[in-house]
Amino acid sequence: MQNNNYNTPNYFMPSNKPIFLIAFLCSGLTAMSQNGNEAFFAFREDGSPAGSLNRAAYFMHRVKENDTTYVCRFYQTTGPMIKCETYKDENLSIPHGRFAWYNKTGSLDSTGLVKNAKKDGYWEFRKPDGSMNMSIFFENGKHVWTRNFTTNITTYADGRILDLNSKSYKDSIAAIVDAIADKKPAEFKGGLKGWSNYIEKTLQTPGRFSGIAGRGARGRVVVSFTIDTEGRATDMYIDHSVEWSVDMETIRILKESPRWSPAMQNGKPVIYRHKQSVTFVVS
């Protein structure tokens, strides 16, 4: 994983205990600004409180989404996201939800989910070009398997090894693909045209980005999200970050999106993962 000099933890080694850098968040920091369910904290390069954005190397935007979801996004002062952490409590002591880290250009470096302070589900690690490098699967904090995308080898916690290049594996995958061939993707009302129209009518280029980037500038945010079985956009996370205001504007239009028709498989609604690119232009 890339070391972006922001104390990014190394997740390449599977562990039952997550490594989260939260101690300085619980040390009595005073918010630089606070409004309702949102608060901003400014930091110097060494992680100490800066007091104001003018003296800060980076800042944290904490959002209370509900009583059990507190999302903390760390940003370079006028640049892309550094990392995103999610907690279950206001004291930020129980990691719970999506965690993600980014390289200096704002591209996603690694991401995964945490459930009650334990890694759970798929954790992805990417190469500098954005392609997959490694995937690790956890169940309630226990390492189950690791897949190396360079060698195409999966290694299980008990020592078993699966060669994904083998004919037997490829035949089994072909059978699975045939079994899910009837899966119908999630769809926004009006299809792709309807979705494009919604984005065009709803999206606003923030003044902060205009001031930072200047006239004629363009910023392309990429966001991943899930359409659940009821057609709601959930689990949104930035895949490529540009700057705080445009990232948050991208998330806003997803949160306010009307419901989609959920994906269907074998006559039943299923979850559907989607990725969207949104371009901001300063006129």
Side-chain angles (χ1 to χ4, degrees), residues 191-223:
L192 291 176
K193 184 177 181 180
W195 178 236
S196 296
N197 288 340
Y198 168 75
I199 293 176
E200 183 178 347
K201 291 179 180 179
T202 310
L203 193 71
Q204 300 177 21
T205 298
R208 184 178 195 268
F209 177 66
S210 299
I212 291 172
R215 175 170 293 199
R218 301 170 70 90
R220 177 175 171 269
V221 178
V222 181
V223 61

Side-chain angles (χ1 to χ4, degrees), residues 106-264:
S107 293
L108 184 66
D109 180 79
S110 54
T111 185
L113 294 170
V114 178
K115 185 176 181 180
N116 292 318
K118 295 180 179 179
K119 299 174 193 174
D120 194 62
Y122 295 93
W123 278 73
E124 299 178 358
F125 304 87
R126 301 188 184 183
K127 299 177 182 178
D129 64 2
S131 62
M132 286 291 291
N133 183 45
M134 186 179 297
S135 179
I136 304 178
F137 186 75
F138 295 89
E139 284 185 349
N140 196 30
K142 295 182 178 180
H143 170 230
V144 179
W145 53 255
T146 297
R147 177 180 178 182
N148 185 313
F149 283 83
T150 300
T151 62
N152 226 15
I153 297 292
T154 295
T155 304
Y156 289 85
D158 61 8
R160 289 180 296 122
I161 295 177
L162 174 62
D163 184 353
L164 305 184
N165 298 304
S166 66
K167 184 179 183 303
S168 59
Y169 176 78
K170 290 181 179 179
D171 289 345
S172 66
I173 289 299
I176 293 173
V177 171
D178 290 341
I180 64 174
D182 66 338
K183 183 175 181 178
K184 180 183 177 182
E187 186 177 48
F188 190 79
K189 184 178 181 180
L192 291 176
K193 184 177 181 180
W195 178 236
S196 296
N197 288 340
Y198 168 75
I199 293 176
E200 183 178 347
K201 291 179 180 179
T202 310
L203 193 71
Q204 300 177 21
T205 298
R208 184 178 195 268
F209 177 66
S210 299
I212 291 172
R215 175 170 293 199
R218 301 170 70 90
R220 177 175 171 269
V221 178
V222 181
V223 61
S224 292
F225 59 98
T226 296
I227 301 299
D228 68 14
T229 56
E230 296 183 1
R232 296 172 297 196
T234 63
D235 188 24
M236 305 156 200
Y237 64 91
I238 300 298
D239 203 274
H240 179 76
S241 170
V242 173
E243 178 270 332
W244 169 76
S245 64
V246 288
D247 286 3
M248 293 306 298
E249 174 65 4
T250 302
I251 291 175
R252 180 189 71 82
I253 65 172
L254 287 175
K255 286 185 174 181
E256 296 179 0
S257 164
R259 292 198 183 191
W260 296 46
S261 296
M264 300 293 292

